[in-house]
Amino acid sequence: IYSLTVGHLLGKGAFGFVYQGLAKNILPKEKLTTVAIKTVRDDATSEEIENLLKELSVMKMVGKHPNIIS
């Protein structure tokens, strides 16, 4: 079973805030994995949300990398 715990604020990105988090059981050899959690501001425009989704899509295309969504 997967779970995500949001930790402390790392900084502010173009679309919102970035937090450190812990993800449970997302990698076969690790029970807990440290992750970055990107968020969208509450007042984000639909264009900003679309731009974030495009950014995530580009990261997925990079392929397998331990530090990038895939």
Side-chain angles (χ1 to χ4, degrees), residues 12-17 38-57 59:
K12 185 175 180 184
F15 310 109
F17 295 102
K38 293 186 129 192
T39 64
V40 180
R41 294 186 323 270
D42 290 337
D43 64 345
T45 65
S46 58
E47 182 179 2
E48 290 171 321
I49 294 169
E50 186 176 327
N51 287 336
L52 175 60
L53 292 173
K54 286 179 185 177
E55 179 182 307
L56 296 174
S57 179
M59 285 193 275

Side-chain angles (χ1 to χ4, degrees), residues 27 33-34 64-68:
L27 294 175
T33 304
T34 301
K64 292 287 183 185
H65 187 281
N67 298 328
I68 299 177

Side-chain angles (χ1 to χ4, degrees), residues 3 9 17 43 47 62 69-70:
S3 71
L9 179 67
F17 295 102
D43 64 345
E47 182 179 2
V62 169
I69 188 171
S70 57

Side-chain angles (χ1 to χ4, degrees), residues 25-41:
N25 297 323
I26 63 169
L27 294 175
K29 296 180 181 180
E30 294 182 19
K31 288 195 176 216
L32 289 175
T33 304
T34 301
V35 297
I37 303 167
K38 293 186 129 192
T39 64
V40 180
R41 294 186 323 270

